[in-house]
Amino acid sequence: MDVKSKGSGMDYWKKIIILLCSGWVTIWVYRSALAPAYPQINESLGGNISDTALGSISSFYFFGYVAMQIPAGFLVDKIGKKKVLIPGFILFGIAALLISQASSISMIYFGSLLAGLGCGSFYGSAYSLTSQNIPQDKRSFSTAIVNSGSAVGSGLGLILSSYLVVQLNLPWQTMMYISVVLIICMLVAFTAIIRNNKEDAEFLAQSEAAEAAAAKTEDTPVVKEHVSVKKLFSPKMLFAYILYFATCYAYYMTVTWLPNFLGTERGFEGAAIGFSASLVAFASIPGALFFSRLADKFMHKKVQFIVILEFLAAAMLLLTVQATNSTLLLVGLILYGFLGKLAVEPIIISWLGENAPKVGIGTTLGVFNFFGMMSSVIAPTLTGSISDATGSKEMGFYISVILLVVGTTLFLLANISKKKAATKA
């Protein structure tokens, strides 16, 4: 069913794609803005902040983000996407302003925690909207377009921060002011475009009625699923959560510490740090679009796509950390972006949409993202601690590679077992 947006000839689901892509741009401009400016933040706070303490800025953000995943998913199912998204982004904007006025690392931690809580409203709302409104044969590709906002925002945040703050010596708070402007724009867009809960319920009722009529015509009984703990934590779902944890760990470790790693351990300087780090983000856009298009074309091969991409991403991270020259390092980064999290995530989410209960999808997505984002709490601080203890962040990359290999292997084994069980049945 194609539903037009109010006062527009564009299908509602197409507007949702544009809106959610823009939402990720906004979130990721903020997320990536502080990492290149860690030395400037350190200097503004007295110059005695350790790498562990700086890495904890990201960990506090992700702690708030993770804490909101299951509650936000539950609220999305109960009161609707719009009523969750708008208050969340208001809190996000307040947090960015608070960080811009911070005079201590503790204030930055508090602002980061609030920003994480605010942004935590987005994931369940966004992918509930995609799961319920985008046609199934376009879902992986459309989700890849939505996710490309993460890459664009990450690249822009890294480049703007390294150029404006590192090279032009503007105050690091400049990036927070830019984030606030983007957040205000998104609040206006959410208000104007997203249907309210009543309209959403009417649309879903019409969709269910159409499905019921089709099933009746085919003499097929309609089975209504309910979310249960057993379904949420069945083996195939649990190993999908573990896989997502490993995928996110590698990505958020890289996003948080790559700019610093390039500057302190590989000799990159100034804007070159941001441009080089942003290669991961920008390379992921064609990767996500290409592989998700293939996954939509070969819908029964999604597990194979996921497994191959994850193993290749692990190999590229290994290449990056072991590279003996900057050219090889940049090749590893580009290929990790092309094959890594942002390329495989749309396929994983599409697989999840096919295997999770259709009722209460917000709750399922909340649990899924909770597991994945737990890694984002651990990775920045753990890598910072490793750096303080050893003088290098290389071990952070090796841990990421090991987690990717283990998580992918478990996911593969779970799906092989499922296929064998289905064959026997």
Side-chain angles (χ1 to χ4, degrees), residues 3 26 170 283 367-368 375:
V3 180
T26 301
L170 292 178
V367 173
F368 172 72
S375 66

Side-chain angles (χ1 to χ4, degrees), residues 30 90-100 110-116 176 180:
Y30 165 83
I90 290 173
L91 180 60
F92 179 23
I94 292 170
L97 276 176
L98 180 64
I99 292 171
S100 73
F110 181 64
S112 297
L113 180 66
L114 292 182
M176 294 299 96
V180 170

Side-chain angles (χ1 to χ4, degrees), residues 114-262:
L114 292 182
L117 289 170
C119 291
S121 67
F122 189 77
Y123 190 94
S125 301
Y127 294 111
S128 290
L129 284 165
T130 60
S131 294
Q132 292 175 348
N133 292 284
I134 296 175
Q136 186 174 354
D137 62 342
K138 298 179 176 66
R139 199 165 292 160
S140 291
F141 186 70
S142 299
T143 303
I145 295 174
V146 170
N147 277 13
S148 69
S150 304
V152 172
S154 179
L156 283 175
L158 289 168
I159 290 171
L160 286 173
S161 185
S162 62
Y163 180 69
L164 297 176
V165 180
V166 179
Q167 190 152 322
L168 297 185
N169 294 316
L170 292 178
W172 63 264
Q173 293 89 344
T174 302
M175 293 304 300
M176 294 299 96
Y177 299 137
I178 291 173
S179 295
V180 170
V181 172
L182 293 174
I183 291 164
I184 292 171
C185 292
M186 289 311 306
L187 284 168
V188 173
F190 290 153
T191 303
I193 295 174
I194 298 178
R195 291 190 298 240
N196 61 41
N197 203 32
K198 183 180 178 182
E199 292 171 325
D200 212 27
E202 290 174 355
F203 168 74
L204 290 175
Q206 290 173 8
S207 298
E208 288 179 5
E211 289 176 7
K216 187 176 180 180
T217 301
E218 298 170 6
D219 295 325
T220 305
V222 178
V223 178
K224 189 165 185 175
E225 294 185 272
H226 298 276
V227 178
S228 67
V229 173
K230 185 177 179 181
K231 288 180 180 178
L232 283 174
F233 294 99
S234 64
K236 67 175 181 179
M237 299 297 287
L238 181 60
F239 288 128
Y241 303 153
I242 292 171
L243 173 71
Y244 196 52
F245 175 93
T247 303
C248 290
Y249 185 99
Y251 187 74
Y252 291 114
M253 185 283 301
T254 303
V255 166
T256 302
W257 283 112
L258 180 61
N260 188 276
F261 174 75
L262 294 175

Side-chain angles (χ1 to χ4, degrees), residues 17 32 65 91 99 112 183 242 277 297 316 354 367 370 376:
I17 291 171
S32 59
Y65 187 86
L91 180 60
I99 292 171
S112 297
I183 291 164
I242 292 171
K297 185 175 181 180
M316 291 308 104
E354 293 169 7
V367 173
F370 173 84
S376 63

